[in-house]
Amino acid sequence: MTGPERADAARNRAAILAAAAELFDRDGVEEVSMNDIARHAGVGKGTIFRRFGDRTALIEAVLLPRAAAMRRLVHHGPPPVGPGGEPLEALHALLDTLFDFVWANRTLIRALEHRVPHSYYAHSSSRYWLDELARRLTVTHPHDDTEYLTHILSTALRADVVDYLVSVRGMALDQVRAGLHRLAFPCVPPPSLADVDRRSVS
Amino acid sequence: MTGPERADAARNRAAILAAAAELFDRDGVEEVSMNDIARHAGVGKGTIFRRFGDRTALIEAVLLPRAAAMRRLVHHGPPPVGPGGEPLEALHALLDTLFDFVWANRTLIRALEHRVPHSYYAHSSSRYWLDELARRLTVTHPHDDTEYLTHILSTALRADVVDYLVSVRGMALDQVRAGLHRLAFPCVPPPSLADVDRRSVS
DNA sequence: TCACGATACGGACCGGCGGTCCACATCGGC
DNA sequence: GCCGATGTGGACCGCCGGTCCGTATCGTGA
């Protein structure tokens, strides 16, 4: 066991991740076999399993850097999504950021949920933003049942729920986004469309 | 093509459905192969495929009579869940009936959703109770966005969402049920626990 | 009762999957 | 340049859902 990883191994890891990301995105996760990825990356199938263990771990490995980027944005980025902004703006910015992340990675997220039931809520890389959401809700909704609200919002943010609204019910993305913000304030009338537009364009 | 079906064929259909229902229930849908079902039913694998077409259709066939029973209850049963009762009671009774159905058949429903994305909302045997829910909401919430409310409630009734709350978060069934009823009336305080108990015991 | 076409049966068989194995190639410190 | 540690790749494995077809069973009309 030398320090980290041999040079050729690192090269192959990168090639596999790139090939997997491209094929998953292009053809849908379920349509891509491990053999496809191996061929496309120019490596043997055994190499993939040696690097990543199994199919589930490979999917996670493709998703991980994207989740980490979002996490960095939330924890160290500029306000309003990063720390230091006005609480209400911070909550809405977080919702938008989560929504964008879920939408952009919906195929990977759905595939993971498919292979590891409840991973959407229970997976460690999900927990942190569920907790962050709860934290911001506690500030903006000090008198409500924030655990309950967190659950409602995180369910509305499920990749398959959003996907259904858009691809089966034909809702526009901004409609779904507006519904999400409205859900956070169930007892006030929904904001005017102009407000919603201003927020989601930023 | 004689009239309906030969006697041995009908016998086998029943045996297959019974075997599938038992194994799905006992071991979980994903753990049961078509060979398992064939062996357990005492028929050849070919017979299953001849009768039902493919695995998805077999799962649907196991679920169908249960959904039909619920449908009968809602359309022809005694009030409050059947027609003729007081609107508010009718809505709550429907929510309870749907909740019980989803919980009792959560493994089958999840397996179907797994094989046919969005089937939970889009499948014909789901449509009718989504429509019924919307109908009753229109009566009890004449001034609200009932389409939106229907979506929120049907999402809260997803088999995987309920399953997560119970099996991962450790919520009691009656808590989840209470949350469902509360969701239908977001702007009034939740009913006292006594009310909830009275309703769900009936 | 029997004969015969229509129908159903069942398990060998197929292609493809995720995952394993191991003879061989490649790396990199000395 | 040597040599043990590390990495490689594709043949191979068991299993899956699904098909095929020679054989068995049904039920009708005579």
Side-chain angles (χ1 to χ4, degrees):
Chain A
M1 188 186 297
T2 39
E5 192 175 47
R6 245 166 63 170
D8 51 347
R11 214 181 317 123
N12 281 334
R13 150 172 278 129
I16 292 166
L17 280 175
E22 185 188 330
L23 291 183
F24 286 162
D25 195 45
R26 199 189 65 191
D27 301 333
V29 179
E30 305 297 332
E31 308 303 315
V32 179
S33 72
M34 301 302 271
N35 262 321
D36 292 337
I37 298 170
R39 212 173 308 122
H40 200 262
V43 303
K45 184 163 58 153
T47 304
I48 300 185
F49 285 94
R50 155 172 278 266
R51 277 292 90 93
F52 296 96
D54 63 12
R55 186 175 163 85
T56 299
L58 175 60
I59 300 174
E60 288 177 342
V62 173
L63 191 53
L64 195 72
R66 308 184 189 185
M70 181 185 68
R71 184 175 194 155
R72 252 189 321 271
L73 205 63
V74 169
H75 282 176
H76 306 292
V81 66
E86 189 268 327
L88 214 65
E89 286 288 327
L91 174 63
H92 284 296
L94 178 63
L95 288 178
D96 279 331
T97 304
L98 293 176
F99 182 82
D100 292 339
F101 173 77
V102 166
W103 178 251
N105 299 287
R106 61 193 183 282
T107 42
L108 286 176
I109 295 172
R110 293 194 64 177
L112 259 187
E113 176 74 25
H114 192 231
R115 298 180 68 84
V116 188
H118 308 310
S119 66
Y120 175 72
Y121 301 96
H123 202 274
S124 65
S125 65
S126 306
R127 286 308 323 167
Y128 92 88
W129 64 255
L130 289 178
D131 293 344
E132 180 65 30
L133 183 57
R135 215 170 297 125
R136 298 194 184 188
L137 282 171
T138 310
V139 177
T140 56
H141 296 63
H143 306 305
D144 289 356
D145 180 348
T146 46
E147 187 184 343
Y148 182 75
L149 247 181
T150 305
H151 163 65
I152 297 297
L153 286 174
S154 63
T155 298
L157 274 165
R158 288 176 61 111
D160 51 358
V161 171
V162 175
D163 216 4
Y164 159 75
L165 288 177
V166 173
S167 63
V168 177
R169 296 288 287 270
M171 284 178 69
L173 264 191
D174 276 347
Q175 277 184 281
V176 184
R177 191 194 294 270
L180 183 67
H181 289 282
R182 173 154 58 131
L183 211 45
F185 298 91
C187 299
V188 298
S192 78
L193 201 59
D195 286 348
V196 173
D197 282 349
R198 180 173 48 73
R199 196 165 50 229
S200 59
V201 155
S202 69
Chain B
M1 186 186 298
T2 39
E5 191 175 48
R6 246 168 61 171
D8 52 345
R11 214 182 318 124
N12 281 334
R13 150 172 279 129
I16 292 166
L17 280 175
E22 186 188 328
L23 291 183
F24 286 162
D25 195 45
R26 200 189 64 192
D27 302 333
V29 179
E30 305 298 331
E31 308 304 315
V32 179
S33 74
M34 301 302 271
N35 262 322
D36 292 337
I37 298 170
R39 212 173 307 122
H40 200 264
V43 304
K45 185 162 59 152
T47 304
I48 300 185
F49 285 94
R50 154 172 280 264
R51 275 296 89 99
F52 296 98
D54 64 10
R55 186 176 163 86
T56 300
L58 174 60
I59 300 174
E60 287 177 343
V62 173
L63 191 53
L64 195 71
R66 309 183 189 186
M70 181 185 68
R71 184 177 195 153
R72 252 189 322 270
L73 204 63
V74 169
H75 282 175
H76 307 293
V81 66
E86 189 269 325
L88 215 65
E89 287 287 327
L91 174 63
H92 284 296
L94 179 62
L95 288 178
D96 278 332
T97 304
L98 293 176
F99 183 81
D100 292 339
F101 173 77
V102 166
W103 178 252
N105 299 287
R106 62 194 183 281
T107 42
L108 285 176
I109 296 171
R110 294 194 65 176
L112 259 188
E113 176 75 23
H114 193 233
R115 300 180 67 83
V116 187
H118 308 311
S119 66
Y120 174 73
Y121 301 97
H123 202 274
S124 65
S125 65
S126 306
R127 286 308 321 167
Y128 92 88
W129 65 255
L130 289 178
D131 293 344
E132 182 64 29
L133 182 58
R135 215 171 295 126
R136 298 194 184 189
L137 282 170
T138 311
V139 178
T140 55
H141 296 63
H143 306 304
D144 290 356
D145 181 348
T146 46
E147 189 184 339
Y148 181 76
L149 246 181
T150 305
H151 164 65
I152 297 296
L153 287 174
S154 63
T155 297
L157 274 165
R158 288 176 59 113
D160 51 359
V161 171
V162 176
D163 216 4
Y164 158 75
L165 288 178
V166 174
S167 62
V168 177
R169 296 288 287 270
M171 283 179 70
L173 265 193
D174 276 347
Q175 276 184 282
V176 183
R177 191 194 294 272
L180 183 67
H181 289 280
R182 174 153 59 131
L183 210 45
F185 298 92
C187 300
V188 298
S192 78
L193 201 58
D195 286 348
V196 173
D197 283 347
R198 182 170 49 71
R199 197 163 51 229
S200 59
V201 156
S202 69

